[in-house]
Amino acid sequence: MTGQLAEAPERAADGTDLLTVGVEEEFLLVDPHTGAAVPAVDLVLEQVPPELRGQVEREFQTSQIEIGSPPGLELRSIRHSLGVLRSALADAAERAGVRLLAIGTGPVDGPVPPVVDKPRFDRMIERFRLLVPGPGNNGMHVHVGIPGPEMGVQVLNHVRPWLPTLHAVTTNSPFARSEDTGYASWRSVEWERWPSVAPTPYLESHEHYERLIRQLIASGVMLDEGMLYWYARLSAKYPTVEIRIGDVCPSVDDSVLVAALVRAMVATAIEDVGAGRPALRTDHHLLVGAHWRAAHDGLEGDGVDVTTGELRPAWELLDRFVERMRPALERHGDWAEVADLLSGLRRHGTGAARQRAVFARTGRLSDVVQDVARQTRGTHAA
């Protein structure tokens, strides 16, 4: 993510701080004829307009490419940035002879593209060997500005029970190896092979957070702090909380919705901390189960109510989540847009549901790839 998030915060009408938000998105590069992932990142980067290259980067595999929006206070600026970057990157991919997909992992079977030639990645492959499972795992990471690391750790404690619901919202990878996996987010299943991928533990302090990082590195589970793949963490680069649970969203609308919900969630957590309301100390294994269920069902099935351990319709849990976050959404001026975007999500379903609907109509994964490419490009606000 480009830019800094350390400026003095702006304030809402009630005197509370407004929080900045920024988005990172990872994409898959595929053959336009077969839909299989291709190692084309360098070819695409050569075609990116010079004025945007600071916001476009390589990712782990040569079939992946990443963008980062500048941080901002207004959703319209996030929408504009993501729209411009996606459109420019889709054009660059086409000039390079490939296609850009906002999808969690490749739906079409094919050779596994090599890892980007970078010393750190080489060390990861040497240490972890065959954990690279397929054509590329593409996620969405949302950064929200926070007052400081001690508050950040408390925010991590407060948001951990809410993350399975957001996980369900972002599911966008039902197909892999040319078949339906039975999961709404197969990327989540593949991603969990890495030993440092997990729900964020309950943390006693920032010192506890840093001590765990040192211990995990010493154990060999991670090479460095960048491999702390908890579903929520403190950014190692920016003064932010980073939420990194979801598949990359298929469209800009989906990304804007998730960014707004994440910011409202962090703002609500900060308010709860200030009011002395304790975080729910949800059992780790119940959270593991809730995230597994979210990856399996998306919003089209059930989710785990972590306050009771019972299954509830996933949409019921999302409605409850949104109502809890509504004051923060209203304070940031996001409520009207979020309500509209949620209505659209209810009509057309998650990215996984959309992919399955296309396949149910035509029986061709090539049509799924084409539809995802169309959503990826989208349009950007003026």
Side-chain angles (χ1 to χ4, degrees):
M1 186 175 64
T2 60
Q4 297 294 320
L5 293 176
E7 301 111 354
E10 293 192 24
R11 294 188 179 275
D14 62 2
T16 56
D17 289 345
L18 298 178
L19 306 180
T20 54
V21 61
V23 175
E24 297 169 338
E25 295 186 310
E26 299 161 353
F27 303 97
L28 190 69
L29 302 171
V30 302
D31 184 294
H33 305 293
T34 67
V38 289
V41 64
D42 288 333
L43 294 174
V44 175
L45 282 171
E46 291 174 1
Q47 299 297 324
V48 173
E51 66 273 16
L52 297 179
R53 287 179 184 170
Q55 295 172 260
V56 182
E57 296 180 347
R58 294 173 181 83
E59 237 298 317
F60 187 61
Q61 285 171 258
T62 52
S63 52
Q64 297 175 279
I65 196 164
E66 180 180 12
I67 63 172
S69 76
L73 286 168
E74 296 186 353
L75 287 187
R76 64 182 179 182
S77 66
I78 300 298
R79 176 182 292 280
H80 177 79
S81 296
L82 293 179
V84 168
L85 287 165
R86 280 178 174 233
S87 180
L89 205 54
D91 288 342
E94 289 182 9
R95 289 193 293 271
V98 297
R99 181 170 285 168
L100 185 77
L101 297 186
I103 196 168
T105 193
V108 177
D109 199 16
V112 176
V115 171
V116 168
D117 186 12
K118 186 177 178 180
R120 179 173 179 267
F121 293 165
D122 292 340
R123 293 196 303 273
M124 289 171 69
I125 293 300
E126 183 180 2
R127 172 78 58 85
F128 300 103
R129 306 295 293 175
L130 294 178
L131 291 186
V132 180
N137 294 142
N138 303 298
M140 173 188 184
H141 307 154
V142 182
H143 290 256
V144 181
I146 52 171
E150 287 295 347
M151 174 61 78
V153 164
Q154 294 187 71
V155 167
L156 295 180
N157 288 338
H158 278 262
V159 303
R160 54 198 294 272
W162 296 332
L163 291 181
T165 296
L166 283 175
H167 195 166
V169 173
T170 64
T171 49
N172 187 35
S173 52
F175 295 101
R177 300 179 182 87
S178 299
E179 61 180 287
D180 193 320
T181 64
Y183 284 78
S185 174
W186 185 247
R187 179 205 63 89
S188 300
V189 177
E190 292 186 328
W191 184 232
E192 286 171 4
R193 297 185 184 191
W194 291 92
S196 55
V197 174
T200 309
Y202 191 92
L203 301 158
E204 301 300 334
S205 64
H206 186 237
E207 192 280 328
H208 181 205
Y209 179 89
E210 292 187 315
R211 185 171 73 250
L212 278 174
I213 291 173
R214 293 193 299 270
Q215 291 169 337
L216 290 171
I217 292 172
S219 76
V221 164
M222 309 187 315
L223 294 179
D224 51 39
E225 187 174 352
M227 285 191 68
L228 186 72
Y229 297 143
W230 293 344
Y231 298 154
R233 69 183 187 184
L234 304 183
S235 171
K237 295 181 179 180
Y238 309 106
T240 65
V241 165
E242 181 184 0
I243 306 301
R244 42 186 301 114
I245 183 54
D247 292 355
V248 64
C249 292
S251 73
V252 171
D253 274 354
D254 297 303
S255 298
V256 169
L257 172 61
V258 172
L261 292 177
V262 167
R263 174 166 63 181
M265 177 182 68
V266 172
T268 301
I270 290 174
E271 182 181 358
D272 285 349
V273 172
R277 289 187 282 270
L280 179 66
R281 297 192 67 153
T282 310
D283 182 82
H284 172 80
H285 290 287
L286 182 59
L287 279 181
V288 169
H291 280 288
W292 176 86
R293 192 77 196 200
H296 186 274
D297 286 24
L299 285 178
E300 284 66 47
D302 289 329
V304 176
D305 181 342
V306 297
T307 65
T308 65
E310 298 175 351
L311 287 180
R312 304 298 303 169
W315 262 103
E316 177 183 316
L317 297 177
L318 178 57
D319 287 339
R320 190 189 308 170
F321 173 91
V322 172
E323 192 59 31
R324 179 74 173 83
M325 308 307 158
R326 181 167 177 170
L329 289 166
E330 292 177 338
R331 190 162 63 248
H332 283 84
D334 297 343
W335 171 247
E337 182 164 6
V338 165
D340 183 60
L341 293 172
L342 282 168
S343 178
L345 182 63
R346 197 182 294 272
R347 289 194 306 272
H348 52 60
T350 61
R354 287 171 239 170
Q355 289 184 47
R356 283 172 166 151
V358 171
F359 189 75
R361 288 197 305 270
T362 72
R364 295 189 297 269
L365 279 177
S366 59
D367 292 331
V368 173
V369 169
Q370 183 175 343
D371 189 66
V372 172
R374 176 190 61 78
Q375 293 182 73
T376 301
R377 176 183 290 277
T379 57
H380 62 267

